[in-house]
Amino acid sequence: MIKIDKLSKLHVPAVLQIAVAEQQIKFAETAEAFLANIDNTTHLHIIKSDDEIIGFFKIDLAYASIYSFCPDNGLGLRSFVIDTKQQGKGFGTAAVKALLVYLRENYPCYSAVYLTVNCQNIAAHMCYLKGGFTDTGEKYLGGIAGPQYIMKG
């Protein structure tokens, strides 16, 4: 069973064991970068399967101040990663579904969550679609790795 939790100091050693495939680093972050990039508007979370930490992501409360496609009452999803050893097992889709429920329960003042996913990252795009996000039909063209689909959950 997939569970989402806020990151605590106790989770850090396990998070540091999460591997990101070299070809995926341009689309996401390493565990070290994930843990280093903390501010008041960024909340760090972990993804667990049973009691094992298998992934992580960030919720950005200030996403709307950076991206015009996100309304003021929208959240941003960043750095969604499933450990390379756990990919291909359905955990990504299950985690996205759990994430959307978790956000409705824990961030009730926000209307929706937005993300961008690189157009070259077909597997991630499909994962988000299967997990309950919709493609807005628009593209964000400011990404360093090329055009990105704008998605809403």
Side-chain angles (χ1 to χ4, degrees):
M1 178 173 172
I2 296 294
K3 185 171 186 221
I4 308 292
D5 279 321
K6 283 191 174 183
L7 177 78
S8 77
K9 290 180 182 180
L10 296 174
H11 299 134
V12 171
V15 168
L16 287 169
Q17 299 303 308
I18 293 173
V20 180
E22 192 170 325
Q23 68 270 22
Q24 292 176 328
I25 290 176
K26 66 181 176 181
F27 304 131
E29 288 186 317
T30 64
E32 292 83 4
F34 168 77
L35 293 168
N37 189 3
I38 301 173
D39 61 42
N40 291 337
T41 62
T42 304
H43 296 173
L44 306 184
H45 294 80
I46 57 161
I47 302 164
K48 293 174 22 177
S49 173
D50 297 319
D51 286 327
E52 181 183 358
I53 296 175
I54 62 165
F56 55 75
F57 65 89
K58 296 177 182 178
I59 293 299
D60 185 348
L61 304 180
Y63 203 72
S65 67
I66 301 166
Y67 299 102
S68 62
F69 58 80
C70 182
D72 288 340
N73 62 348
L75 295 168
L77 175 62
R78 297 180 176 272
S79 302
F80 184 90
V81 169
I82 299 292
D83 185 280
T84 55
K85 296 180 293 291
Q86 302 299 336
Q87 292 179 8
K89 300 177 182 180
F91 289 134
T93 299
V96 171
K97 289 178 181 178
L99 163 91
L100 291 173
V101 172
Y102 175 85
L103 293 178
R104 281 192 294 275
E105 292 172 354
N106 292 278
Y107 294 86
C109 295
Y110 293 90
S111 65
V113 60
Y114 290 80
L115 63 88
T116 61
V117 61
N118 193 285
C119 295
Q120 298 172 27
N121 196 349
I122 297 166
H125 186 246
M126 290 306 300
C127 176
Y128 291 125
L129 288 171
K130 288 179 187 175
F133 275 81
T134 57
D135 190 323
T136 66
E138 299 176 49
K139 289 197 175 92
Y140 174 68
L141 303 177
I144 58 172
Q148 300 176 23
Y149 298 111
I150 299 171
M151 303 187 79
K152 177 183 174 186

